[in-house]
């Protein structure tokens, strides 16, 4: 190593930034994450820095910059935007005897600013000694995915409890206590949003003089895998996959998503095909609960979002009935991904002021024939699982009074490498789907005109007029 990685204490100490414009603002934003007393040396400040000075978050120092301006500071940053002036200020700062970072001049730097993953008080700093900043940012992205956003809060809680642990847990049991705290039930509870439960588990264990002898309580996470592309998974979804002992997944889950899981995690395919359910829902609910009751961390991986046509209700009910902790991790549903692919909003002022998501099939694969009740004026209608019923859907909507030439968009395998979309109309929709040989998971998307009057309404108006 040409640089030694370390953390510099900032509490009660000055940090000096020389410069008043964008480069100085960039460094100041970074320093504001600390509790340092930030002094900005410049005759004038840009709007951002001026606002921070007005709020008292930084101190604006005008006048000549001398060695005394830097004296006693924990560190200094030179960022005027002028290379010649930066070099001169570097010499002045070095005269004061402090460590300095000079923007875009690595040869003048005693310090380099790393890419930071902030889970205060847990901080991960990533540096490449100035050789590959882009690589550092890529590693930062991977670390952001790997570390739970709630890790810092839990670490802070643990820090507050350290004196109690030292007072009540025998020294020989403390390592086991903290291993349990960060790998066992307290962390699991905190991570899924049950902060009070996690804190109580810790405090109860401290009162008992150490960690429980066993911590085999399992849990279930219903995780949304999104529409296909694995980089559309949430950070929490990736984390749950990496923690899972066993993963139960559907046929629509892209294999690339499973690559994010632990290599030693068991993978169980519970794919369901309309009209040929190899795994009935009650059987799936039974096995995921059984695995959790054996102490395993279970992920039930569903395409899209678990709470949208994902049969989540049955699995939630089964988990609660068995007193098994269950967490829902949202995913990007196909309608949202299709909207992004098409760059067409699902709602649009004056055109589509409501959004309706409905399915082409109901419970146990039965065909849903009541799409017309969803075709309300001004609504964007997105029909899932409707490819096989396209002709039936179109006929019902036309019979309800929608124009046969109403524009329709078909979006297939959205976010995947072979995604496709094409435009047609209600009358030709079924034929267009057949002609394009759609075999993937598709959506039917249309906007109901704001002046649409259903056939039922028309009959009512006619009978009223006749009366």
């Amino acid at each position: 190593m040409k640089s030694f990685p370390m953390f510099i204490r900032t509490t009660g100490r000055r940090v000096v930034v020389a410069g008043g414009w964008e480069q100085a603002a960039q460094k100041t934003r970074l320093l504001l994450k600390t509790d340092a007393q930030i002094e900005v040396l410049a005759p004038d400040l840009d709007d951002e820095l001026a606002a921070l000075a007005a709020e008292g978050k930084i101190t604006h120092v005008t006048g000549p910059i001398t060695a005394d301006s830097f004296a006693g500071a924990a560190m200094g940053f030179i960022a005027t935007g002028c290379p010649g002036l930066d070099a001169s200020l570097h010499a002045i700062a070095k005269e004061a005897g402090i460590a300095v970072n000079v923007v875009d001049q690595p040869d003048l730097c005693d310090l380099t600013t790393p890419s930071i993953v902030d889970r205060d008080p847990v901080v991960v700093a990533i540096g490449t000694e100035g050789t590959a900043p882009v690589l550092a940012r890529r590693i930062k992205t991977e670390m952001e995915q790997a570390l739970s956003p709630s890790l810092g809060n839990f670490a802070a809680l643990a820090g507050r409890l350290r004196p109690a642990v030292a007072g009540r847990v025998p020294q020989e049991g403390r390592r086991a206590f903290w291993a349990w705290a960060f790998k066992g039930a307290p962390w699991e509870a905190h991570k899924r949003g049950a902060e009070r439960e996690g804190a109580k588990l810790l405090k109860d264990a401290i009162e008992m003089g150490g960690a429980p002898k066993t911590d085999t309580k399992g849990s279930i996470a219903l995780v949304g895998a999104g529409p296909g592309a694995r980089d559309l998974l949430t950070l929490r979804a990736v984390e749950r996959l990496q923690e899972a002992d066993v993963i139960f997944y559907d046929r629509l889950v892209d294999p690339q998503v499973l690559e994010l899981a632990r290599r030693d995690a068991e993978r169980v395919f519970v794919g369901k095909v309309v009209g040929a359910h190899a795994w009935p829902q009650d059987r799936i609910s039974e096995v995921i609960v059984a695995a959790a009751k054996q102490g395993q961390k279970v992920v039930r991986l569903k395409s899209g979002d678990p709470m949208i046509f994902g049969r989540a209700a049955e699995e939630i009910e089964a988990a609660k009935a068995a007193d098994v902790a269950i967490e829902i991790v949202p995913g990007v549903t196909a309608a949202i991904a299709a909207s992004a692919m098409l760059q067409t909003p699902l709602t649009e002022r004056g055109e589509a002021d409501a959004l309706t998501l409905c399915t082409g099939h109901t419970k146990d694969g039965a065909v849903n024939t009541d799409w017309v009740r969803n075709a309300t004026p001004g609504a964007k209608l997105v029909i899932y699982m409707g490819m096989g019923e396209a002709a039936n859907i179109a006929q019902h909507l036309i019979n309800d009074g929608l124009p046969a030439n109403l524009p329709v968009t078909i979006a297939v395998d959205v976010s995947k490498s072979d995604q496709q979309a094409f435009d047609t109309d209600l009358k030709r929709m079924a034929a267009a789907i057949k002609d394009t040989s759609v075999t993937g998971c598709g959506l039917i998307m249309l906007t109901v005109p704001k002046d649409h009057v259903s056939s039922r309404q028309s009959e009512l108006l006619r009978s009223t007029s006749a009366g």
Side-chain angles (χ1 to χ4, degrees), residues 125-145:
I126 304 155
T128 61
E129 296 185 344
T131 60
V134 173
L135 175 60
R137 287 194 292 271
R138 197 196 82 185
I139 296 171
K140 168 184 165 67
T141 299
E142 294 175 358
M143 291 299 297
E144 291 281 6
Q145 295 175 342

Side-chain angles (χ1 to χ4, degrees), residues 112-130:
T112 55
T113 51
S115 291
I116 292 175
V117 180
D118 185 5
R119 300 289 188 273
D120 185 31
V122 178
V123 179
V124 179
I126 304 155
T128 61
E129 296 185 344

Side-chain angles (χ1 to χ4, degrees), residues 36 38 64 71 89 94 127 135 152 181 193 199-200 227 230 238 255 268 344 354 361 369 380 397 399 419 437 459:
I38 304 170
L89 292 175
K94 294 306 297 177
L135 175 60
K200 186 176 187 302
R230 74 175 191 170
V238 174
V268 180
T344 302
H361 291 81
T369 60
K380 176 80 77 171
L397 293 175
N399 290 346
Q419 67 180 6
S437 301
E459 291 175 7

